[in-house]
Amino acid sequence: MTRYALLLEYDGAAFHGWQRQPAMFSVQQALEEAAAKLNHGAPATTIAAGRTDAGVHAEGQVAELHLARDIAPDRLRLALNFHLRPAPCVVRAVALAPEGWSARFSAIRRAYRYVILNRSARPALAAGQVWHIPHAMDAAAMQTAAQSLLGHHDFSAFRATSCQAKSAVRTLERLDVSRDGERIIIEAEARSFLHHQVRNLVGTLVPVGRGQRPVTWPRAVLDARERRLAGETAPPEGLCFMRVEYPQDLALHWA
Amino acid sequence: MTRYALLLEYDGAAFHGWQRQPAMFSVQQALEEAAAKLNHGAPATTIAAGRTDAGVHAEGQVAELHLARDIAPDRLRLALNFHLRPAPCVVRAVALAPEGWSARFSAIRRAYRYVILNRSARPALAAGQVWHIPHAMDAAAMQTAAQSLLGHHDFSAFRATSCQAKSAVRTLERLDVSRDGERIIIEAEARSFLHHQVRNLVGTLVPVGRGQRPVTWPRAVLDARERRLAGETAPPEGLCFMRVEYPQDLALHWA
């Protein structure tokens, strides 16, 4: 048994999320079917750093792959990419998994980016990769509100009802909102996130940006710890899983 | 008769280029059909600043629209976007055309961007919007070579055989090559370009980047003025028409 780390990019529009499920095509299924072809036909199993929802994209998802065979990382990358075609999922790089490394449990930081296209016209070139909001928005107000949410809190107000985590306490390390022309970019970082946490945070900052709620509102929602008080869940297509970090002693050497 | 300027974004993959032609769906046809619905059913005509080829994208194409009716620019933008659905072409902004302004002939600068995805794995998220080159490339060498092509020259070596311009003399104002992670970005600016000029310039810089030709080669190709000596025409999907500039006295006031 050899364990590998895979650095993945995928277009979430083509998949019903990361996780395998009956009668729905998932990233995990695409990857495990490609890997099985290199595994003497035996099933190959994968575990992701973060289980992205249906429609959510990834530029830097990390997954762990268990294979019965021993293949050099660069050959494994080429072979997996060959078998993944034409699904819009690729292995950007492969590393041998260090002893004791887990894609999911060893991660010390996860980074997500959410993109809002803030202009009158619907997206043409970025269709499917942004949340289109045609109303005037104040990104600076969103940034002020976002800073009030940083730190170690009970994020019950921002977790999906389906969230299975035992505790809703998380440490939000970064939540930055900035404008780049017609785009509003929201960058979120934490050791781990609750289910829908980033999308619910975005959905709660948007009414502030639109001037419908004061900049103090998101913090009041956080403190109340009630999901029904928060904003809507932002649509999945604006979200992209950007990066996973591991501690120095479990550093991955990508090939 | 009222004349408008339209600022357009489109995904070139969905169209057989800008120009109307029989039995092929073009951006011009999509736009003129949408405009005819606002023109009491009478045909509406458009002229573009630059006639992009099949597969070439635009973030900032400018077109001139002639309508029998007088409609406020912001209402015209909304109405055209309504009728353009679901084609991946949108009107980002509309302006009243100043007296004496021509989308094509008044332009004093056109800016294009070409994107190469330079990594082993094929594109997933950027599929259809980059040229994928998996081989190692030296962007700095490409930049050095690009600088030798700037200025006022006979660009016969870089024009399509189908190019209808009377003269091949153009002034290349900018040709910058830079690396942004896995991407190599080529930015080209001139008052006007010959047919396929940007794609042929890119196709001639690529062998330099790959180390197959010296940095002095593109200039030697320019001086020889023979198309057959230059590199291949880079594929259309990496190219995007970014921006058109007009002189101060014909400035457009976008709404």
Side-chain angles (χ1 to χ4, degrees), chain A residues 118 135-145 177-179 184 205-211 215:
Chain A
N118 185 219
H135 317 284
M137 289 183 78
D138 178 350
M142 293 170 73
Q143 169 68 356
T144 301
V177 184
S178 58
R179 180 179 283 279
I184 294 173
L205 292 173
V206 161
V208 173
R210 292 186 56 186
V215 294

Side-chain angles (χ1 to χ4, degrees), chain B residues 55-57 111-117 128-133 137 142 175-178 183-188 196-203 205-206 232-242:
Chain B
V56 173
H57 312 291
Y112 286 85
R113 185 188 62 201
Y114 198 99
V115 181
I116 294 169
L117 184 67
Q129 297 186 3
V130 294
W131 181 10
H132 175 220
I133 301 183
M137 289 182 79
M142 293 169 73
L175 187 64
D176 277 330
V177 184
S178 58
R183 282 159 197 260
I184 294 173
I185 316 286
I186 298 146
E187 291 163 294
H196 283 183
Q197 187 180 346
V198 179
R199 290 165 59 190
N200 288 338
L201 287 166
V202 171
L205 292 173
V206 162
E232 65 177 314
T233 305
E237 62 266 27
L239 187 61
C240 190
F241 189 14
M242 299 301 287

